[in-house]
Amino acid sequence: MGRQATAAPFAIELKGISKAFGPVQANKDINIAVPKGTIHGIIGENGAGKSTLMSILYGFYKADSGQILVGGQPTPIPDSQSAIRAGIGMVFQHFKLVQNFTVLENIVLGAEEGALLNTSLGKARQVLKDLAQEYGLNVDPDALIEDLSVGHQQRVEILKALYRQADILILDEPTGVLTPDEADHLFRILRGLKDQGKTIILITHKLREIMEATDNVSVMRRGTMVATVKTRDTSPEQLAELMVGRKVLLEVEKTPPAPGKVVLSVQDLRVRDEHGVERLKGVSLDIRAGEILGIAGVAGNGQSELLAALGGMTKASGTITLNGVPLPLSGPGSDGQSRREAGIAHVPEDRHHHGLILDFAAWENVAFGYHNDPKYQKSALFMDNDALRADTEKKMATYDVRPPIPTLEAKNFSGGNQQKIVVAREVEQNPDLLLIGQPTRGVDIGAIEFIHKQIVALRDAGKAILLVSVELDEIMSLSDRIAVMFDGQIMGMRDPASTDERELGMLMAGMTGTSDAKLKKEAY
Amino acid sequence: EPALIYDLGGKFDKSFNEAAFNGAERWAQETGGTYKEIEMQNEAQREQALRRLAEAGSNPIVTTGFGMSDPIATVSKDFPDTKFVTIDGFVDPAAHPNVLSIGFAEHEGSYLVGMMAALASKTGTVSFVGGMDIPLIRNFACGYAQGAKAANPDINFISNMTGTTPAAWNDPVKGSELAKAQKAQGSDVIFAAAGGTGLGVLQAAADEGILSIGVDSNQNHLHPGSVLTSMLKRVDVAVYNSMKQGEALDTTPQALNLASDGVGYAMDEHNAALVTPEMQAAVDAAAEKIKSGELVVHDYRTDDTCPVATF
Amino acid sequence: MDRLPRWADLTLVPLVSLLFAAVISALVLLSIGQSPTEALKVMIDGALGSPYGWGYTLYYATSFIFTGLAVTVAFHAGLFNIGGEGQAQIGGLGVALVCLSLPWPHWTVALAAATAGAALFGAAWAAIPAYLQAKRGSHIVITTIMFNYIAAALMVYVLVDVLRPTGQMDPASARFPVGAQLPALNDIPGFSLIFQRPVPANITLLIALAMAVVVWALLWRTRLGYQIRAFGKSEAAAKYAGINPVRITIIAMLISGGLAGMMSINNVMGEAERLLQNSSEGAGFIGIAVALMGRNHPFGVVLAALLFGFLYQGGAELGLWTSIPIEMRIVVQGLVILFTGALDMMVRMILERLFALVRSAKAVRAA
Amino acid sequence: MDYATLLQVLDTTVRLATPLLLACLAGLYSERAGIFDIGLEGKMLSAAMSAGAVAALTGSAWAGLLAGIGASMLFAALHGLAAITFRGNQLISGVALNFLASGLTVLIAQAMFKQGGRTPPLSGDARFNPVTLPGAEALRDVPLIGPLYYEVISGHSVLVYIAFLIVPFTWWVLFRTRFGLRLRAVGENPAAVDTAGVSVIGLRFAAVAITGILCGVAGAYMATALQAGFGREMTAGRGYIALAALIFAKWRPVAAMWACLLFGFFQALALRPDVVQSVVQMKVPVPLLDALPYILTVLVLAGFVGKAIPPRAGGQPYVKER
Ligand SMILES: Nc1ncnc2c1ncn2[C@@H]1O[C@H](COP(=O)(O)OP(=O)(O)OP(=O)(O)O)[C@@H](O)[C@H]1O
Ligand SMILES: Nc1ncnc2c1ncn2[C@@H]1O[C@H](COP(=O)(O)OP(=O)(O)OP(=O)(O)O)[C@@H](O)[C@H]1O
Ligand SMILES: [Mg+2]
Ligand SMILES: [Mg+2]
């Protein structure tokens, strides 16, 4: 590979990069330069265009305009092959692995030597052994990807890049799915790579990681690059301000809770997935009226299953009672309709796949899940579409949904406004219990504030709320009590006033006692 | 202007429908006239085709295959001035004076080729592949078996039908597989009365080096040296005569037999080497006896039984 | 690139797709040495040029409305029902059994009973693929294709061994009694002014039109329709909303199969007046093209059914009066499905380009 | 059933399984690459027509084979255009192409030969004639295996042997070569292939092209070996049965061969109701025998014969950006 160590100070330079997806201008005239042998952070709100920019650099998307320089040389990168040839490797936010292939097969895919597999696999096995020693990247080369933990899958992605002799490594939100401990391990690896002279671009939402790991940091906002600064010259507060364009008040204003009687009581709740693997391993908890119970945890530790089981989306075993009345967990009466009738509303974690029918108009979505509600019926046979449209107009006004057009299809609203439609629908049902998952994922600061206020208002109205979020900040600021989930179990219950991120992080990694840290599961 | 409707096997089945086509062509050549023709593709089309032709003024409308008789019975009432011909079918002439039904004495022709088969067989086993399993086709098989038994009382007779629907007229793959199966059971002369399916039978017989017997048209030329003879059913004559009479068609039902040259067997240069003079003499003698009434071949359709075979 | 305006998406896309299909059909005709204009003339003449032609065009259109609606309902539930053919044939069996079972006093009574029979049998034939899809995840496209073949075999057995009157050679049922014979359009006051001679189009046409309205109301005005559409758009979301996937899959397929079965009142009871082999004549498959062309909207389906009725009757006329084989209509049908169903992105992209051009031209003029 | 009858049925089985096998392997390449193809039927049909026509015109079965492959590849290219380039619905594209093939074949054959949509009967070198394998005559009298070798294994056309050789070859390609690795990957996760620097579109088109070739051979076999010429709708649903066999075989080549032999065996039995009757000792309605492969397919699909998990990305167009 014809790359020689020129005197160029920059490993990567992007000049005037722009990219639009249909009407969405994801990147606008972006300029950035990454010095060789540094770790360069990129931060920005959801949808700011970070992933798009990196995908362009990796040849996954094609920029509408702009220029890429690698090692000082203008290098067109029309496809990933060119990026690989230019020494760029990327670990995507969503891993690009073939699930039923072995580690080895995934590593050689696209980088085979010759038409027959034997030689490629043999060589890869050797290289893998060397890399494992050099960087502490151990994985079983013959394991199937689907059998590996997320952390190990990520290692495979890094190994893939290193196997292709990448000098520049891009990582897109690598720690979103990792426990704090796994994340620490990752950063040790990254530092090792940096010491070998590799250049690393790191996308993350976590300002702590930026401050700890990077040399420089670039901030993106709504498709533009607003600043690039040396990390040691900046502060988290300044970065946050740069990100959203104004001073941010992260604290939620709320009065102390006044918990009443137990609304929801869960005993020994268990859920198996379609492969028969137990994802929820005996969860028990109570939620009282006028209380927000926050569930903290790394994504994939059973929070989704907990919401799904309570919301009637999946079969479960154990017992749950709502206001003292037991609810069936499988068979008739265990579906989402029955739960809604019982007084449970549910803002799902994934609004695109669950909360909305994207091809339906806003007014049709306002009935979604409540289509059997008598207030939307004209007669035994027909629905009252006029009433529904009127109701939608009212909700859109209250929740400041923009644009306030009931006939607009859901897919044509931005993420924040879509979320407002879902929240409006569920909160306005005035339920006894509100299940709410990732309420502000992909939602901008303004909308976050609004949604948080609604949640608190519902609590103050004496309702019970179960809040699931991967954002520790959100959990800490909203919850009246915090339960931490790990590996399908509740690791502990904490009072937000008397705990901190460190303690919660330990629990999230499966460590119960803070003194004698004992791993429940093979960590990173 | 007359019209001709072919049955589901299709105009170029080299057999039944093609015989009809040949008759029409002969009429066209001799008179310089033109005729309309339609090939049926499925059952439900029949009535529309009849109506459309009648509507457009075709007369007479000649049809092949028994499947046409029921639609004709319906349509002919709406077009009393149009003459219809159903070849192989039957429509009550009392109720439908404008319909001519033409039938054939297939058992007589089949008897002759059955004799020839038995005389040509070296294995002592001859066989029959029928198209759709209906009395009409069983009549072929029964006549054939009677002839074979007459020529050789010890002859072993095998019979298979292709199917129970009109699709059985057009399934050469099944035809050839049945032929191969019959060969495996010892047969070395196979009579195919199966429309387009028969082409597969004749092909397989040629491939396997045994003899076959064609049907309806003269099929000797298809595999010279392998087709022993063909049982002729003069559909061409029926069509020719009907077209020739034109609008003045006489609708008294006809039964064409050996005596009236409506059935027979084919001799030409393609099978001359296969048929010895002795064989031909024996067959011709039997033919004379049938014509004179001295020999009566049992017609399966009269009582739905066959004296020498079961199906 | 900007999206197409909604009106263009609804009208221009199918029309342009149709145009593509027409152009390619013309090329096919030219390549086999036939004149497309001559062919078109024969088709228009034969299908629309006389009450006789209309009688057939409307007759076929009636069948296609039913099968098109059948495909539409399934489609809204996210199910691709290719089994209309088999469901229609089995529906025909239902019609025949009803019609032959009693000496019906009047056609109205017979019609009501036969409609129920047709819908019931058609629905029953759709029930097994539906159940297998819902419960066992068997791909409905393949199971319904298989059920078409199985239906054909079953019909052979029934017609040959059960329903065939003794002495009859062709595989068909006996004729239906007089009390079970439906009035054709020429028997209906008003219509009889136009149709003075017997035509195959019959009272079922009105039922078909009524069903189009019923299906429209079902899909867009009732709770069931809401659930069907929601399920069809997103199965995961339906589950969240507590819409039972098994229930909706089965109900939608039962309605779909019932509609497909109901087409048999048109051809079996209204026209042939006995049950024949292959009675549906491919209408089940044409329903796919009709639904795609009609953009899965009942009113679109009615228009598309008329178009296909024209193509079908016109195609028959081609087979009759020209040397163009009747298979031409299958080619046209395939082309329409291809362009409206599979190459719709291509058509849309072309239109988007055109719209962008027009827009920029306007912008230039404005500036 | 005596041994001779059994051999005869097995002999038929091999003949009838061959087009299924070729079509099934064809589908395997396509579906392993993530492109569903219910248009196997149409491709076979178009190939059968072209092969029959060209063999009749040139008198060469090999020329017919090439023409069949060409026609089938044309249809494959159309499917690729719709399913890969324009990301259309793969099922609908398959259905449409089946219609197109069904109509066009008759139209063209009729225009060329005016024989009711058939091609003229083939004979001599215009057909693939049976070949006798070495030693077949010599071994014929060895008890048991002699007749088996002579009747069932020897005496088929060369295309039959090619079809069965493609089975191990396909296995080797799929699991031992770079192309196979990429092909399997693109059917499971096209994004992984894309980010690994390999063209998803290129791979998928390659797979679809192979499908075209194999369907071409299958169709040519129908018209120039199994039968002597093309006839209307002569593939008679074999493309669908091949698909079912593919699912039955869980998209694995060797299992596909066994599945096709099984379906071929059913088809052979349907040709011999007399044999079935003598074995089960009662009259079996022929339509039931005819429907048996389809019924079995439904049972397979229903998972009563084991759950089949298709390639994960199957049926979905690969969309990077909307
Ligand atoms: N494939 C795509 N098609 C259409 N629009 C897209 C696509 N990918 C991203 N977008 C849009 O482009 C914009 C930028 O998205 P991008 O994924 O780059 O943001 P991000 O900064 O990585 O956000 P996040 O923090 O959520 O990962 C968003 O508005 C997004 O909706
Ligand atoms: N993957 C995608 N494909 C197509 N369009 C998308 C996609 N993601 C987002 N969009 C559209 O892009 C636009 C912006 O989406 P995005 O989620 O980035 O909103 P936003 O700019 O963050 O706005 P808000 O702050 O209100 O959430 C919306 O119209 C949305 O529908
Ligand atoms: Mg991102
Ligand atoms: Mg956003």
Side-chain angles (χ1 to χ4, degrees), chain A residues 19-22 58-62 80-81 84 92 95-101 105-106 108-118 146 160 164 358, chain D residues 32 172-186 188-199 203 309 311-312 318-322:
Chain A
K19 171 77 185 172
F21 293 110
Y58 189 63
F60 193 62
Y61 293 152
K62 239 180 279 177
S80 300
Q81 185 73 60
I84 293 168
F92 285 85
F95 303 150
K96 312 284 185 192
L97 296 170
V98 182
Q99 290 291 314
N100 58 355
F101 275 20
E105 286 174 320
N106 267 291
V108 299
L109 180 67
E112 305 89 343
E113 322 255 317
L116 298 186
L117 277 185
N118 258 345
E146 57 199 0
K160 247 167 80 177
R164 286 160 175 74
L358 292 174
Chain D
R32 277 278 188 171
W172 179 79
V173 166
L174 227 47
F175 298 106
R176 287 291 177 270
T177 70
R178 171 176 63 191
F179 176 71
L181 183 77
R182 293 177 173 185
L183 191 81
R184 285 183 289 134
V186 84
E188 291 288 335
N189 186 354
V193 173
D194 196 359
T195 53
V198 183
S199 161
L203 266 176
I309 300 162
R312 260 164 260 213
Y318 177 54
V319 186
K320 264 212 295 212
E321 32 186 300
R322 275 177 286 179

Side-chain angles (χ1 to χ4, degrees), chain A residues 200-213:
Chain A
I200 291 159
I201 300 179
L202 176 71
I203 298 179
T204 179
H205 286 293
K206 298 175 184 161
L207 296 179
R208 184 174 60 92
E209 290 171 357
I210 291 289
M211 300 311 294
E212 280 172 15

Side-chain angles (χ1 to χ4, degrees), chain B residues 102-155:
Chain B
I102 302 179
F104 292 86
E106 293 92 357
H107 48 291
E108 295 183 355
S110 300
Y111 184 91
L112 300 184
V113 299
M115 283 184 71
M116 204 179 273
L119 293 172
S121 172
K122 299 194 175 62
T123 59
T125 301
V126 298
S127 58
F128 175 83
V129 174
M132 187 174 162
D133 190 2
I134 44 172
L136 173 76
I137 292 302
R138 291 184 172 199
N139 192 39
F140 277 89
C142 184
Y144 178 70
Q146 290 175 68
K149 286 265 185 295
N152 176 4
D154 297 328
I155 201 85

Side-chain angles (χ1 to χ4, degrees), chain A residues 112-413:
Chain A
E112 305 89 343
E113 322 255 317
L116 298 186
L117 277 185
N118 258 345
T119 42
S120 314
L121 292 176
K123 186 197 156 194
R125 192 180 292 277
Q126 191 51 48
V127 173
L128 221 55
K129 206 180 268 172
D130 298 345
L131 287 173
Q133 266 172 8
E134 208 173 332
Y135 302 108
L137 281 162
N138 285 318
V139 274
D140 173 7
D142 298 311
L144 289 181
I145 297 298
E146 57 199 0
D147 296 336
L148 294 181
S149 69
V150 193
H152 278 79
Q153 292 189 17
Q154 189 177 58
R155 283 190 209 178
V156 177
E157 283 284 17
I158 296 174
L159 284 168
K160 247 167 80 177
L162 296 178
Y163 183 74
R164 286 160 175 74
Q165 302 183 329
D167 279 339
I168 301 153
L169 190 62
I170 307 165
L171 295 116
D172 193 352
E173 292 189 39
T175 57
V177 289
L178 302 183
T179 62
D181 205 54
E182 284 177 319
D184 282 349
H185 190 119
L186 173 69
F187 285 116
R188 277 202 297 282
I189 294 169
L190 295 185
R191 258 174 241 122
L193 288 168
K194 175 183 152 184
D195 293 342
Q196 304 275 329
K198 310 238 183 231
T199 308
I200 291 159
I201 300 179
L202 176 71
I203 298 179
T204 179
H205 286 293
K206 298 175 184 161
L207 296 179
R208 184 174 60 92
E209 290 171 357
I210 291 289
M211 300 311 294
E212 280 172 15
T214 64
D215 299 306
N216 300 296
V217 54
S218 298
V219 184
M220 290 185 72
R221 188 198 314 149
R222 298 197 173 267
T224 60
M225 186 61 75
V226 287
T228 298
V229 291
K230 279 200 177 349
T231 310
R232 65 177 122 80
D233 298 343
T234 187
S235 66
E237 290 73 21
Q238 190 197 0
L239 288 178
E241 194 180 327
L242 283 170
M243 261 163 72
V244 286
R246 62 173 163 91
K247 279 233 185 297
V248 203
L249 227 175
L250 288 167
E251 278 307 302
V252 181
E253 288 174 27
K254 66 180 190 149
T255 53
K261 65 174 174 53
V262 172
V263 174
L264 177 77
S265 171
V266 178
Q267 295 300 323
D268 194 32
L269 191 65
R270 289 168 190 275
V271 172
R272 284 181 190 282
D273 66 12
E274 68 266 38
H275 305 298
V277 179
E278 198 163 56
R279 307 307 295 257
L280 216 53
K281 303 176 176 171
V283 166
S284 303
L285 50 81
D286 284 343
I287 308 178
R288 294 172 176 278
E291 172 188 60
I292 299 174
L293 175 66
I295 307 271
V298 178
N301 275 291
Q303 304 95 311
S304 306
E305 286 79 5
L306 176 63
L307 282 181
L310 295 177
M313 290 166 70
T314 183
K315 265 193 274 193
S317 65
T319 50
I320 55 174
T321 55
L322 189 71
N323 295 324
V325 183
L327 299 178
L329 285 165
S330 64
S334 70
D335 61 345
Q337 278 300 305
S338 316
R339 293 292 146 77
R340 283 176 180 77
E341 278 157 25
I344 301 179
H346 183 183
V347 176
E349 291 183 297
D350 185 337
R351 58 177 168 267
H352 281 187
H353 285 106
H354 295 133
L356 295 164
I357 301 283
L358 292 174
D359 289 331
F360 272 14
W363 67 266
E364 287 178 298
N365 271 302
V366 162
F368 193 52
Y370 300 97
H371 46 272
N372 289 328
D373 195 316
K375 71 173 177 270
Y376 296 141
Q377 311 304 322
K378 191 181 281 175
S379 63
L381 216 50
F382 293 105
M383 287 179 81
D384 192 345
N385 291 348
D386 296 330
L388 202 41
R389 266 185 288 257
D391 188 41
T392 305
E393 248 167 63
K394 215 171 69 199
K395 285 190 173 125
M396 285 183 137
T398 329
Y399 280 75
D400 188 29
V401 176
R402 276 180 260 177
I405 307 172
T407 51
L408 197 64
E409 284 168 356
K411 64 181 172 205
N412 294 325
F413 290 89

Side-chain angles (χ1 to χ4, degrees), chain A residues 46-47 415-416 442-444:
Chain A
N46 296 119
V443 169
D444 74 23

Side-chain angles (χ1 to χ4, degrees), chain A residues 453-510:
Chain A
K453 270 189 197 143
Q454 298 304 314
I455 296 173
V456 172
L458 198 67
R459 176 199 76 160
D460 292 343
K463 307 296 181 177
I465 290 161
L466 179 70
L467 165 75
V468 168
S469 174
V470 289
E471 303 294 334
L472 262 189
D473 294 344
E474 184 165 47
I475 294 280
M476 298 273 281
S477 56
L478 275 181
S479 309
D480 300 317
R481 273 191 305 146
I482 299 173
V484 184
M485 277 188 84
F486 172 76
D487 191 27
Q489 283 170 307
I490 303 252
M491 302 306 294
M493 216 40 109
R494 293 289 183 275
D495 181 349
S498 61
T499 186
D500 57 18
E501 293 207 6
R502 231 185 71 80
E503 190 192 14
L504 294 178
M506 299 287 255
L507 289 169
M508 282 161 66

